[in-house]
Amino acid sequence: MWERFGLSVMQRMDPERAHALAISALRTGLLPAPGPVTSPRLETRLAGMVLPNPVGLAAGFDKNAEAVGPLTRAGFGFVEVGAATPVAQPGNAKPRLFRLTEDRAAINRFGFNNDGMEAIATRLATSPRAVPVGLNLGANKESADRAGDFARVLARCGAHVDFATVNVSSPNTERLRDLQGRAALDTLLAGVMEARAGLATPIPIFLKIAPDLTPDDLAEIAEVALAHGLAGIIATNTTLARDGLSSRHKGETGGLSGQPLFEKSTRVLAQLSKLTGGSLPLIGVGGVANADQAWEKLRAGATAVQLYTALVYGGLTLAARIARDLDARAQAEGIASLSEITGTGTGDWT
């Protein structure tokens, strides 16, 4: 009841202000923290990590690692913070976040606003955690060496996280997505993996891709990811497409997330699963708002899923609800582990 009331109040506020308020509420212990939701059916192994459940928090919610401890106790199986860049930057001009309530979606054009890797590393080093925590790596807008920025952030922060994600798929930093091309991506990942090798304890490295890629693009990315020994691919980031929207903010520039992204991102996920033959773990992101949609992501080839925009409409308890509903469905269908259904439905999406 209190969560529904809080959501109704926050949805009358400016979206970015409401988001900042949510982070403050987490930091001060005002939001529910039931602890990790788990069971033998939900426990998931991902790139050497043991997750209590496969429902994670996507990067972007806690950009500056300000509420890591509370978020790891909010029901998620894992949490990703950031994106972090080498130098703090303000991001794009406001307003830059828009709710598309009728579409259960959002558009953002933040532009990697964050406090920089030094501040974020300090917070990560002192944050208690109940589940694995990862960091999304970014590049500064004005950097002369964007590819090198990813390696610099990993070298500084890698000791304080359980995994890291190379984010070359944000549409809000000009020409960042150009780094998804074979030659550029090969060079970038070589630098990142070199930085990883320099860590006292090397951590899994994931690659986050855009949903607006051609089948040939996806094939190249899969080849490069496998060649560099990445731990997996996160599919997908936000889209530039605007098909079928009805909200008044549908024409805003930036990346679209939420329900309209579900089918597109799940199709990309299934194509990647087919391209890699299940040899590379995948994390499904985009439009997951309930257990049925999480189930479909798993069937399309995901080992785990991540939430973000759905939390705007469903509240922070959504992760725990989805995990419990997944557990109940697995039990009802006689499934001993959710890993049994990963990739069983790829033909439905390809």
Side-chain angles (χ1 to χ4, degrees):
M1 181 180 71
W2 284 109
E3 185 176 46
R4 287 197 300 271
F5 174 75
L7 284 172
S8 68
V9 171
M10 293 176 72
Q11 287 172 5
R12 296 186 182 95
M13 300 171 60
D14 168 77
E16 192 163 350
R17 184 184 173 201
H19 183 222
L21 183 62
I23 294 293
S24 295
L26 277 162
R27 292 173 60 192
T28 54
L30 295 178
L31 294 182
V37 175
T38 193
S39 77
R41 289 174 291 274
L42 291 175
E43 187 176 280
T44 300
R45 296 186 179 274
L46 174 65
M49 300 179 289
V50 179
L51 316 178
N53 70 67
V55 184
L57 176 65
F61 185 88
D62 188 6
K63 288 178 175 290
N64 293 308
E66 297 176 281
V68 173
L71 283 170
T72 66
R73 298 189 299 273
F76 296 103
F78 62 110
V79 167
E80 185 177 348
V81 300
T85 58
V87 179
Q89 60 182 22
N92 295 322
K94 299 178 182 180
R96 54 193 180 182
L97 176 62
F98 306 89
R99 293 189 200 93
L100 281 68
T101 305
E102 295 87 345
D103 301 300
R104 282 296 190 265
I107 291 174
N108 90 80
R109 49 175 180 262
F110 283 120
F112 281 167
N113 57 307
N114 73 103
D115 292 344
M117 65 182 185
E118 293 297 335
I120 290 172
T122 298
R123 293 177 191 135
L124 287 168
T126 57
S127 295
R129 62 193 65 179
V131 299
V133 173
L135 177 64
N136 195 275
L137 313 176
N140 280 119
K141 181 178 180 180
E142 304 298 333
S143 175
D145 180 17
R146 287 186 180 174
D149 281 2
F150 296 89
R152 283 188 281 276
V153 178
L154 178 61
R156 177 64 184 90
C157 301
H160 310 304
V161 290
D162 301 295
F163 67 94
T165 300
V166 175
N167 183 0
V168 292
S169 52
S170 170
N172 300 316
T173 296
E174 187 178 359
R175 301 189 66 83
L176 182 74
R177 287 190 173 190
D178 291 352
L179 295 174
Q180 292 176 122
R182 182 194 288 271
L185 186 60
D186 188 67
T187 300
L188 185 157
L189 291 177
V192 168
M193 296 308 281
E194 183 178 353
R196 173 186 180 270
L199 298 175
T201 304
I203 59 174
I205 305 295
F206 294 91
L207 175 68
K208 189 167 187 175
I209 65 169
D212 308 314
L213 298 167
T214 68
D216 287 344
D217 293 334
L218 290 175
E220 286 190 355
I221 285 172
E223 288 177 11
V224 174
L226 288 166
H228 283 277
L230 295 190
I233 297 176
I234 300 178
T236 65
N237 210 320
T238 57
T239 181
L240 294 172
R242 296 292 188 269
D243 302 331
L245 301 178
S246 58
S247 301
R248 66 187 179 93
H249 291 304
K250 63 184 179 181
E252 294 290 344
T253 59
L256 172 72
S257 59
Q259 285 300 293
L261 186 56
F262 179 76
E263 289 193 10
K264 174 178 276 196
S265 62
T266 307
R267 190 167 292 109
V268 169
L269 175 68
Q271 290 170 347
L272 279 172
S273 181
K274 186 175 181 180
L275 285 166
T276 60
S279 63
L280 196 63
L282 305 174
I283 298 176
V285 196
V288 177
N290 55 54
D292 288 341
Q293 290 175 318
W295 192 274
E296 281 303 302
K297 294 281 191 188
L298 298 175
R299 291 183 69 244
T303 298
V305 302
Q306 288 179 319
L307 314 179
Y308 185 179
T309 303
L311 302 175
V312 174
Y313 303 103
L316 198 65
T317 61
L318 180 64
R321 297 200 305 270
I322 289 176
R324 292 188 184 107
D325 288 347
L326 284 173
D327 191 40
R329 179 168 176 176
Q331 183 177 32
E333 296 190 15
I335 293 170
S337 169
L338 286 176
S339 62
E340 295 177 20
I341 69 169
T342 297
T344 58
T346 49
D348 300 343
W349 291 98
T350 52

